[in-house]
Amino acid sequence: MDNAKVKNYIILVLLLVNVFLLAIVLTNALQERRATAERKQALSDVLSQNGIRLADGVELTQSVPAQVTLRRDEARETQIVTALLGSAERSDLGGNVYVYTAGNGGEARFRGTGDFTVLLGGSGMSAGKSPVDTAAGLLQPMGLRADEKAVHTQDSGNDEDVTFSCVWSGSTVYNARVTFHFSAGQLCLITGTRLFDTQSARVSLDNCPDGITVLMNFLQSVRSTGDVCTEIRSLELGYFMSSAVSGECTLRPVWCVETDSRAYYIDAETGKSETLDAAA
């Protein structure tokens, strides 16, 4: 057999092997889709039997994001203070707590846990036509990324609070919130918890429960606690922020189960229920 025929024979064998492998991949993918569809239907049936409706469009096959560690950048913190108060003098109170004092009476206090307070000096800052728009316009100068679509407002006569949840890499950090306090049409105070500035570690989480498993566990939890809900409206992956070391925080992936009664939070790695109050 000449070299040309041998070459053609080898090419034909390789093509057949590729076709065979492709068939295996497609078969496995099809079987996986069928298994997922069957699990989704089983979940829907079990929820329905317990009086809970799964809203249309709820995504059950989302990928769990990596766990992230962030560190405080004091230079970036100073930039935030300057953007809000202008030139300010910094004092170290110890315990990783810094106070910045401006000549116009403004003061900012930043802690190693991410908690902060900024009191604007003078008469504050005008709310303009909309407190929400004014607050949203300050997010970038403050180095904050937030979910502007999920803004929460609370109006009590002459006062109004505008609250945003911080965002990391497109995922909401449910317990890191920033509130802008307006009084008599002026922004006078900003409080909350900010995400730190520099990523120092990133850990991918493997073998985490998927959305279907999470909702099955959620149903068991609801049964055991006696909580009542009739509809699961959304299922989203986000983060909880915790700070075990001053000047450093960890973002842990969590599922947020939004129901017609309230939101529930489930650790994406362990599957255990979480609360906002206990997250930090």
Side-chain angles (χ1 to χ4, degrees):
M1 185 178 296
D2 58 34
N3 291 337
K5 290 184 178 180
V6 171
K7 182 178 180 180
N8 290 336
Y9 177 75
I10 293 174
I11 292 174
L12 178 60
V13 171
L14 291 175
L15 286 173
L16 291 175
V17 170
N18 287 337
V19 170
F20 178 71
L21 293 176
L22 178 60
I24 292 176
V25 171
L26 292 176
T27 299
N28 289 340
L30 180 59
Q31 291 176 345
E32 185 176 343
R33 283 198 297 269
R34 286 176 176 172
T36 300
E38 290 173 357
R39 293 179 65 223
K40 286 181 179 179
Q41 186 59 52
L43 170 65
S44 182
D45 292 342
V46 171
L47 290 174
S48 180
Q49 292 168 10
N50 287 270
I52 302 175
R53 176 181 177 271
L54 185 63
D56 296 336
V58 174
E59 177 56 56
L60 300 174
T61 58
Q62 304 170 62
S63 298
V64 175
Q67 179 173 291
V68 177
T69 301
L70 305 176
R71 287 183 179 172
R72 183 182 190 181
D73 184 338
E74 295 178 10
R76 180 63 186 131
E77 190 171 280
T78 301
Q79 291 175 3
I80 295 172
V81 172
T82 301
L84 295 173
L85 302 180
S87 179
E89 181 179 346
R90 188 176 83 162
S91 301
D92 185 351
L93 299 187
N96 227 348
V97 178
Y98 293 98
V99 173
Y100 301 80
T101 306
N104 62 355
E107 180 180 285
R109 185 179 298 253
F110 287 79
R111 300 181 180 275
T113 57
D115 298 331
F116 76 96
T117 301
V118 178
L119 175 66
L120 277 72
S123 60
M125 179 186 298
S126 172
K129 295 182 179 180
S130 166
V132 172
D133 291 342
T134 298
L138 289 174
L139 292 174
Q140 184 174 356
M142 292 179 64
L144 298 175
R145 293 174 292 276
D147 185 357
E148 297 184 30
K149 296 180 181 179
V151 59
H152 174 74
T153 61
Q154 183 174 352
D155 194 343
S156 56
N158 211 31
D159 299 332
E160 183 171 356
D161 290 346
V162 178
T163 301
F164 294 97
S165 292
C166 295
V167 169
W168 177 262
S169 294
S171 297
T172 301
V173 184
Y174 298 107
N175 64 331
R177 297 173 175 174
V178 178
T179 299
F180 298 81
H181 305 268
F182 293 85
S183 180
Q186 300 290 118
L187 173 62
C188 55
L189 181 67
I190 306 172
T191 62
T193 304
R194 76 181 192 93
L195 304 182
F196 287 136
D197 312 278
T198 305
Q199 179 177 305
S200 59
R202 180 182 179 87
V203 179
S204 296
L205 303 179
D206 299 322
N207 302 318
C208 294
D210 64 5
I212 299 173
T213 302
V214 165
L215 289 186
M216 290 296 288
N217 293 341
F218 164 75
L219 177 59
Q220 293 179 356
S221 176
V222 168
R223 284 172 170 173
S224 64
T225 60
D227 287 356
V228 177
C229 69
T230 60
E231 183 180 47
I232 296 174
R233 295 178 173 174
S234 67
L235 178 66
E236 302 289 343
L237 275 162
Y239 285 109
F240 270 173
M241 171 184 172
S242 59
S243 182
V245 178
S246 185
E248 184 176 279
C249 70
T250 299
L251 304 184
R252 297 182 293 109
V254 296
W255 292 92
C256 175
V257 184
E258 187 73 42
T259 75
D260 57 329
S261 59
R262 67 180 181 89
Y264 296 81
Y265 301 95
I266 300 173
D267 187 291
E269 185 177 19
T270 66
K272 295 181 179 179
S273 296
E274 296 272 3
T275 63
L276 286 176
D277 293 336

